[in-house]
Amino acid sequence: ASQDAGRALKLFERQFKTKKPSKAEMNNYASTLWVRGSSLMEFGAYKEASKHVGRALEINPGNDMWQETYEIIKEQVEHSKKISERDAKRLPVTIITGFLGSGKTTLVNHILSSKHGLKLAVIENEFGSESIDGKLVAGGQKENPDEVIVEASNGCVCCTVRGDLIQAIIKLCDKYKDLDGILVETTGMADPTPVAQTFYMDQEISEIAKLDGIVTVCDCKHILQNLEEKKQDGAVNESRQQLAFADVVLLNKVDLCTPDKIKEVKDMVRKINKSTKMIETVRGKVDPKHLLKINAFQVERVLEIQSDFLEDRQTSHDESIGSFVVRIKAPMDLELFQEWMRDLLQEKSADLYRSKGLLYASGSDSKFVYHTVHEIMEIEEGSEWAEGEKKESVFVFIGKDLDQKSIENSLKHIIA
C-alpha cells in the first residue's frame, strides 16, 4: 500500500503542475496522502506519517477517520517504547560498505580480532565470481569458534544475491542462538539502499533482525576521485550513495593524506551527509564500540534523503565496470610479479580500481596476499599452505574497460 500510494502521489503532483486540480482530484489526492501516512506509521516513520496525514486533513478537515489516525500518530510515544522492547529481542545487523579498496575487509578483521566480548557472524559479498575476501578475513588464522563466515558470491548483495542475504541471516539466527550481532560486508560496488530495504520490506527478517547502523569506510586518498567519476546515464554513483546513507563514516588511510586533504574530504562528506559521525582511522583501527550496537539507523532520516526508500527499486551499475579472475597453477616469481604489477598500475591505475588475490610463490611454503587500490600496492606473507591444499595463484581484477585477454597473457610470462 505504501509503494502504490507513493507512486500515486508523484503522479498527482506532476499533474497538478500543469493544471489546476478539481475538487474531486484534490479529495483523491488527500485520500492517497492518508493511505501513505498510515502505511508510514506502520513502519515507525512517525514524522513523515504526520506530514502526510496532516496535509490530508488540511484538504479535508471534516474526515473523522483521518483525524483519528492523526491522533494515533501523536500517541506513538508509548508505541515507541513497545518497539524498543521488541528491538531488544532482535539481532542487530551492521552493514559495512565503502568503495573498492577502501579497507572494509581490514576493518572486519580488526573487529573480529578485537576483545569486545561479542560473538559475531560475518556475511561476505564479492563483486565478481571469485570470492577472495572470505579467504582473507581473519588472515588465514586458525578457526575461531566466535567467528562465523557465510559467503554470498556471484554479484552484489543489493542486486542478484539479495535473496541470499535474507536466507543467510535466517540461517545464522536459527543455527547460532547466542549471536550478539551480524556484520554484512558489501562489495565495493554496492548501493547500500536496497540492502537496508531488506530489513523493512521482508517480514520474516524484520521479526528476527534489525538494521543497527550503516558504516561506510572511506578511502581518504581516492574518495574525491571516486565521487567525481562520470557514470553511464542512469547508473548510480556508489561512492556518493555509500556516504549519503552512512550513520558512521570511517575516514581511512589518513596516514596517506595531508591535513589539507583530510579537511577537504571532511568538507565533501559533510556536504553529502550532514548528520553522519566521522572517525579518522589508519588500517581500520577503531574501537568496535563506535560501530556495533549503536542503534544509529533511523528510517525517517533516510526518507528525507530518498522518499522512495520503502518502495521496491532496481540499482543500476555502470556496465563498463566489470571484474574477472585469473588462475595460474604454476608457481610465480614474486619479484617479477611485483615489477609486473607496478608497470600495470602505472599504465592503468585510473581504470584498475582494485586488484587482490593469493600468490603461489616459488621457493616459499607460505601464501602471499596482495592488494592494489589505483596506484597503491601491498604484498604480505600469509599462512602456510596446508598439507593437501590445492596450490595456485588467484588474481581478481576490478575496473573499467579492462582488457582481460591482454592481462591474462602478460601474467603467464612471469611464471617461475
Side-chain angles (χ1 to χ4, degrees), residues 172-192:
L172 286 168
C173 291
D174 183 58
K175 187 174 182 180
Y176 304 95
K177 304 295 186 182
D178 55 347
L179 283 177
D180 294 303
I182 296 176
L183 305 176
V184 178
E185 181 193 345
T186 74
T187 165
M189 296 303 296
D191 171 4

Side-chain angles (χ1 to χ4, degrees), residues 385-391:
W385 295 97
E387 186 176 349
E389 184 178 0
K390 181 180 178 181
K391 293 183 178 181

Side-chain angles (χ1 to χ4, degrees), residues 328-340:
I328 297 180
K329 295 181 179 180
M332 309 289 292
D333 185 301
L334 189 57
E335 290 187 8
L336 285 178
F337 171 76
Q338 292 182 74
E339 292 178 11
W340 176 86

Side-chain angles (χ1 to χ4, degrees), residues 119-310:
K119 184 171 181 178
L120 303 170
V122 176
I123 298 176
E124 287 287 341
N125 175 240
E126 283 282 279
F127 183 80
S129 58
E130 178 69 23
S131 182
I132 288 292
D133 281 352
K135 301 172 186 176
L136 302 183
V137 167
Q141 300 167 5
K142 292 182 180 179
E143 185 177 354
N144 184 331
D146 289 340
E147 298 171 14
V148 185
I149 299 176
V150 177
E151 295 184 11
S153 197
N154 297 313
C156 299
V157 166
C158 64
C159 299
T160 60
V161 299
R162 186 167 159 192
D164 286 0
L165 172 62
I166 294 171
Q167 291 306 312
I169 292 174
I170 292 172
K171 177 182 175 182
L172 286 168
C173 291
D174 183 58
K175 187 174 182 180
Y176 304 95
K177 304 295 186 182
D178 55 347
L179 283 177
D180 294 303
I182 296 176
L183 305 176
V184 178
E185 181 193 345
T186 74
T187 165
M189 296 303 296
D191 171 4
T193 318
V195 186
Q197 282 178 321
T198 300
F199 298 91
Y200 290 87
M201 299 182 70
D202 187 275
Q203 185 173 356
E204 190 171 5
I205 286 294
S206 66
E207 291 175 356
I208 61 175
K210 67 169 184 174
L211 180 54
D212 186 61
I214 297 177
V215 176
T216 296
V217 186
C218 170
D219 179 352
C220 274
K221 185 171 177 62
H222 298 106
I223 185 63
L224 297 178
Q225 175 183 339
N226 296 335
L227 289 170
E228 293 171 358
E229 184 177 354
K230 292 183 178 180
K231 299 286 184 177
Q232 292 180 341
D233 289 345
V236 67
N237 185 305
E238 294 85 3
S239 293
R240 184 170 293 276
Q241 288 290 94
Q242 290 161 357
L243 289 174
F245 288 89
D247 298 301
V248 178
V249 173
L250 295 187
L251 300 170
N252 202 27
K253 306 184 185 180
V254 292
D255 55 321
L256 303 179
C257 302
T258 65
D260 287 344
K261 179 65 175 288
I262 295 171
K263 183 181 182 303
E264 186 180 3
V265 170
K266 285 184 175 180
D267 290 343
M268 179 59 73
V269 171
R270 192 57 72 199
K271 285 181 181 178
I272 296 171
N273 187 332
K274 294 181 180 180
S275 61
T276 192
K277 179 180 180 180
M278 287 187 272
I279 302 174
E280 294 184 22
T281 63
V282 175
R283 293 187 174 274
K285 291 184 178 179
V286 60
D287 191 331
K289 72 179 182 182
H290 296 304
L291 313 178
L292 305 171
K293 292 193 170 184
I294 56 177
N295 197 28
F297 187 84
Q298 300 294 329
V299 68
E300 289 186 339
R301 184 184 78 82
V302 174
L303 283 168
E304 291 175 2
I305 302 170
Q306 188 167 302
S307 60
D308 63 349
F309 171 71
L310 296 174

